[in-house]
Amino acid sequence: MTTPAVPAPPRIPEAVHRRRWAILGVLMLSLLIVVLDNSILNVAIKTISTPAPTGLGATQGELEWAINAYTLVFAGLLFTAGLLGDRLGRKKVLVGGLVVFGLGSALAAESGSPVQLIIFRAVMGIGAAFVMPATLAVLMNVFERDEQPKAIGIWAGGVGLAIAIGPITGGLLLDHFWWGSVFLVNVPIVIIAVVLMLAIVPDSRDPKPGRIDLVGVALSVVGLVLLVYGIIKGGQLADFTDPAVLLTSGAGLAVLVGFVLYEKRSDHPSIDISYFKNKVFSAAIAAIALVFFALMGVTFFSVFYTQSVRGYSPLQTGLLMLPLAAAQLIFAPRARLVVDRFGVRAVTTGGLVILAAMLAAFTILDADTPIWILEVIFFLMGMGMAHVMTPTSVVIMQALPREKAGSASALSNTFRQVGGALGIAVLGSVLSTAYRSGIEDKLGLLPAGLRHTAGESIEATLGIAAKLGPRGDALVGAANDSFLHAMHVTALCGAGIALVSAVVTVLFLPGRPPRAAAEESTEETVGVSR
């Protein structure tokens, strides 16, 4: 006989432990605001691209920057936000982030031009950078280790809920109010979240925090902005060999290399590079980044497919995205049970393969494909994502000590957001380049000054076609055909990225937990003896 292991004493105060699920609810409300904003914006981008007074007349490049200004500031500041949360207290940082996010939302709603919208989206990104990592860091400090996978699964399911609520809310608002209402709706949610946060969420911090790495923060932000700007510019020009594109992107890569070298030598780095010596940790981070690279790029063009090619309203588009969100909401909280049975490697790789297959399935969609096929694709995409996000988030958060929860969460969210930003930039540029190549020959009848503008995006082409009256009808068909071809090319690129991520997880993520395998072996032995 073996002596049974003595359970570890609880590390969470009893008063906090009793209200842990209520605390999780408040954290999910805070998370909801951050994710809700991006999912609402995905539905609103077509309206914002419409000329005034309906929208702002934003070009495809400006739309990408409206999304990426938020994402890049968010990603660039996450390192600092995680460290500040560990040092000053996660609750304080969370409340401060919510206030800044609410202020940025109110200003974005009143934007008078695409440039103003981009600036105020960046302000929202500052606030979001202090909200997202703090929610996961607080979670790790109010749940015992054995309950953390379940709590993280529910947390990930909250992302699915936000994805569901966002497009529908955005569609309802755009049906009844002006485009700025999609940002103004954040303000009352922020007020409620701050009140609840102050009332029931405990504070926590790292007893031995590091100094703030100002040089590292500056290098990461500058490098990311230069890199993504170069990629977006290449898409606008339909020429990635243009000297300005090569110079900007190259400078961005050089700065990011300098960032890594500086972090390795610093005695107070934003990122402790030694974390990445752990292959499991690195593979989980890479999987999350590549998944969001593929997903954000595809989500960007799917809105144009449903609204511009198929003619659905913003509200109808939001409803069409429900299966994607519902699948995440259903499967994310249960993914831990599948991991217990089959292991992190099998579950994550399976999720990535499903995601890659569904991205590739976009190539079968055309202007009159039955819409239920798109619904099936969205549902299976959500299922695949749920089986990637939950296990990789658990691996990342449990790889570091609980005291470093802010840093672990910041790393996870940074790579997620950087992956998403690059996905929108790279795949958005692929879409733009493929579209321009397809439509160029059809724009010969237009005045020379309009040809470049008309070739930027399907919305630009359709806008000019509408002004031409009956003469523009042929241009509408050409625009739809060119967009569908561009969408198919972009979807295949996204599928390829998801498959690369699957290879990474097969090689480096752990298999079945030894304990689970031993238990199953024991059960089978008992079954045979009976």
Side-chain angles (χ1 to χ4, degrees), residues 13 183 214 249 291 342 403 503 521:
F183 298 110
L214 295 178
S249 301
V291 162
F342 299 104
E403 292 74 19
V503 172
S521 174

Side-chain angles (χ1 to χ4, degrees), residues 81-138:
L83 287 172
L84 281 175
D86 289 344
R87 170 186 284 273
L88 302 176
R90 287 127 191 171
K91 178 178 177 177
K92 296 183 185 71
V93 164
L94 222 171
V95 171
L98 285 170
V99 171
V100 172
F101 185 86
L103 179 63
S105 298
L107 292 171
E110 299 298 327
S111 298
S113 69
V115 173
Q116 287 184 7
L117 178 61
I118 291 167
I119 292 170
F120 295 138
R121 286 278 296 164
V123 173
M124 294 171 67
I126 294 172
F130 288 87
V131 172
M132 178 75 89
T135 60
L136 202 48
V138 171

Side-chain angles (χ1 to χ4, degrees), residues 169-207:
T169 305
L172 285 169
L173 290 170
L174 291 172
D175 273 1
H176 296 91
F177 304 101
W178 94 114
W179 63 267
S181 61
V182 301
F183 298 110
L184 200 60
V185 72
N186 293 331
V187 177
I189 304 175
V190 164
I191 293 171
I192 294 169
V194 167
V195 171
L196 292 173
M197 191 75 58
L198 293 172
I200 70 169
V201 174
D203 208 353
S204 61
R205 68 183 72 192
D206 183 354

Side-chain angles (χ1 to χ4, degrees), residues 16-101:
V16 173
H17 181 74
R18 282 199 303 267
R19 62 177 192 270
R20 64 194 184 283
W21 298 109
I23 293 169
L24 179 59
V26 178
L27 297 176
M28 287 178 65
L29 180 62
S30 304
L31 176 71
L32 179 76
I33 303 166
V34 176
V35 180
L36 184 78
D37 179 72
N38 263 340
S39 58
I40 282 182
L41 184 59
N42 283 335
V43 173
I45 54 178
K46 180 180 181 294
T47 304
I48 294 171
S49 69
T50 306
T54 303
L56 293 175
T59 66
Q60 183 153 320
E62 287 169 336
L63 287 174
E64 289 177 17
W65 272 109
I67 296 172
N68 283 331
Y70 174 90
T71 307
L72 285 176
V73 173
F74 188 3
L77 291 178
L78 275 167
F79 303 136
T80 306
L83 287 172
L84 281 175
D86 289 344
R87 170 186 284 273
L88 302 176
R90 287 127 191 171
K91 178 178 177 177
K92 296 183 185 71
V93 164
L94 222 171
V95 171
L98 285 170
V99 171
V100 172
F101 185 86

Side-chain angles (χ1 to χ4, degrees), residues 16 27 35 74 123 145 158-159 185 206 237 242 297 301 317 336 351 356 389 437 448 472 502 523:
V16 173
L27 297 176
V35 180
F74 188 3
V123 173
R145 188 177 180 86
V159 175
V185 72
D206 183 354
L237 298 174
D242 183 88
F301 71 64
T317 297
R336 65 188 174 84
M389 282 181 60
S437 299
E523 288 172 5

